[in-house]
Amino acid sequence: MKFSRQRQQILDYVKSVKTHPTAETVYKKVRDDNPNISLGTVYRNLDKLSEEGLITRIKIANQKDRFDGDVIPHSHAICEKCGKVIDIYTCNLDSIDKFVENNIQCKVLSHDIIFNVICPKCNKDGEE
Amino acid sequence: MKFSRQRQQILDYVKSVKTHPTAETVYKKVRDDNPNISLGTVYRNLDKLSEEGLITRIKIANQKDRFDGDVIPHSHAICEKCGKVIDIYTCNLDSIDKFVENNIQCKVLSHDIIFNVICPKCNKDGEE
DNA sequence: CTCGATGCAAATAATTTGCACTGAT
DNA sequence: ATCAGTGCAAATTATTTGCATCGAG
């Protein structure tokens, strides 16, 4: 894979943050360094980089896709109040895939799971 | 809630099938009985009926939403080859919500999980 | 040098919305 | 009679694509 200046900037940015940015956010941030970059290029690169396994795409139903520089397998929770995405590393769901395989006689390739939560901060705010 | 002719037709159709139709499919089917119904009305009613808990919305990342007349809590698998949606009734994930609550100190409201599978039929076809 | 990558703008896909009218309660 | 619901068309949102040009290997 060629590493154009744009591709490198996009990869560096996604790898440098823990905020799970959307394509639009990546675009705005990379534009600080490279004002000529186009949104189409950002989309094409985020596609390519996640296909190649250098970053992870987080697909959340009815929301913009987000991207994660962390490629270690893990799940995500999203706060329904503030929208923050929270990493969940310790929840191993492999056994559930096995269960489903036996249950519906299907080969399970993967699963997409998102936990809809209220984060500690928003929970506290709600109590006031 | 008022039950207009359109709302009743949409509800009846979704309740009558096990195919997890999209809004567009519902629109096409209901139009057989009521050629004047509009797509906007179908979207508005599917929204309303799922908010009211009379039907279930199935949110699949990067795909059209689907709707399920079955309101008993259950999960779904989607075949990556033929796109068929398969119901999974016996897989209880409540304990996982509890696990996540303890793990990230969040209140877990719900989760959205989709299993990406190859269904038995497509698996067989692939072997030929 | 070559072909994959880019910038730009237009296109697409799914869904939502404004508005005047209609019909269920 | 009222106001939620409707049909229609235009708007919106997120993303993708065509095309001429550019630049990394």
Side-chain angles (χ1 to χ4, degrees):
Chain A
M1 176 165 49
K2 278 190 192 174
F3 270 82
S4 65
R5 179 178 168 220
Q6 291 86 338
R7 180 162 297 165
Q8 193 65 56
Q9 289 177 320
I10 291 165
L11 178 59
D12 288 347
Y13 174 68
V14 174
K15 287 282 186 191
S16 75
V17 294
K18 299 202 188 322
T19 50
H20 314 90
T22 62
E24 180 113 39
T25 304
V26 174
Y27 171 59
K28 284 180 184 159
K29 288 295 181 176
V30 173
R31 218 173 28 170
D32 290 345
D33 281 336
N34 181 355
N36 290 320
I37 198 168
S38 77
L39 187 52
T41 293
V42 172
Y43 272 103
R44 276 184 291 227
N45 274 296
L46 291 170
D47 280 353
K48 185 92 185 178
L49 291 168
S50 45
E51 270 170 28
E52 301 285 330
L54 297 179
I55 63 174
T56 306
R57 179 191 294 266
I58 310 174
K59 298 182 288 182
I60 308 177
N62 305 332
Q63 293 197 39
K64 305 182 194 179
D65 282 3
R66 290 165 168 273
F67 296 87
D68 191 340
D70 186 350
V71 295
I72 297 170
H74 62 285
S75 303
H76 294 97
I78 180 160
C79 176
E80 293 212 341
K81 280 206 177 158
C82 68
K84 189 169 75 168
V85 175
I86 300 155
D87 293 297
I88 306 171
Y89 288 96
T90 50
C91 184
N92 188 316
L93 293 164
D94 292 355
S95 61
I96 292 179
D97 287 354
K98 286 268 184 304
F99 180 88
V100 170
E101 288 202 339
N102 291 327
N103 190 237
I104 60 173
Q105 281 86 51
C106 282
K107 192 170 289 189
V108 174
L109 304 177
S110 64
H111 59 247
D112 295 316
I113 186 162
I114 296 287
F115 294 92
N116 303 301
V117 306
I118 304 293
C119 76
K121 188 179 177 310
C122 288
N123 198 30
K124 218 177 234 173
D125 292 351
E127 282 168 10
E128 288 165 22
Chain B
M1 179 167 47
K2 278 189 190 175
F3 269 83
S4 66
R5 179 177 167 222
Q6 291 85 338
R7 180 162 297 166
Q8 192 65 57
Q9 289 176 319
I10 290 165
L11 178 58
D12 288 349
Y13 174 68
V14 174
K15 287 282 186 190
S16 74
V17 295
K18 299 202 188 322
T19 50
H20 314 89
T22 62
E24 179 113 39
T25 305
V26 174
Y27 171 59
K28 283 182 184 158
K29 288 296 181 174
V30 172
R31 216 171 32 168
D32 290 346
D33 281 338
N34 180 356
N36 291 320
I37 198 167
S38 78
L39 187 52
T41 293
V42 172
Y43 272 103
R44 277 184 291 228
N45 275 296
L46 291 170
D47 280 353
K48 184 93 185 181
L49 291 168
S50 44
E51 270 169 28
E52 300 284 330
L54 297 179
I55 63 176
T56 306
R57 179 190 295 267
I58 310 173
K59 298 183 289 182
I60 309 176
N62 304 333
Q63 293 199 37
K64 305 183 194 180
D65 282 2
R66 291 166 166 272
F67 295 88
D68 191 340
D70 187 349
V71 294
I72 297 169
H74 63 287
S75 303
H76 295 96
I78 180 159
C79 177
E80 293 212 341
K81 280 207 178 158
C82 68
K84 189 168 77 169
V85 175
I86 300 156
D87 293 298
I88 306 172
Y89 287 97
T90 50
C91 184
N92 188 318
L93 293 164
D94 292 353
S95 60
I96 292 180
D97 288 353
K98 285 268 185 303
F99 180 87
V100 171
E101 288 203 340
N102 292 327
N103 189 237
I104 60 174
Q105 282 85 51
C106 281
K107 192 169 287 188
V108 174
L109 304 176
S110 64
H111 58 248
D112 296 315
I113 187 164
I114 295 287
F115 294 93
N116 304 299
V117 306
I118 302 293
C119 75
K121 187 179 177 309
C122 288
N123 197 30
K124 218 177 236 172
D125 293 352
E127 282 168 11
E128 288 164 23

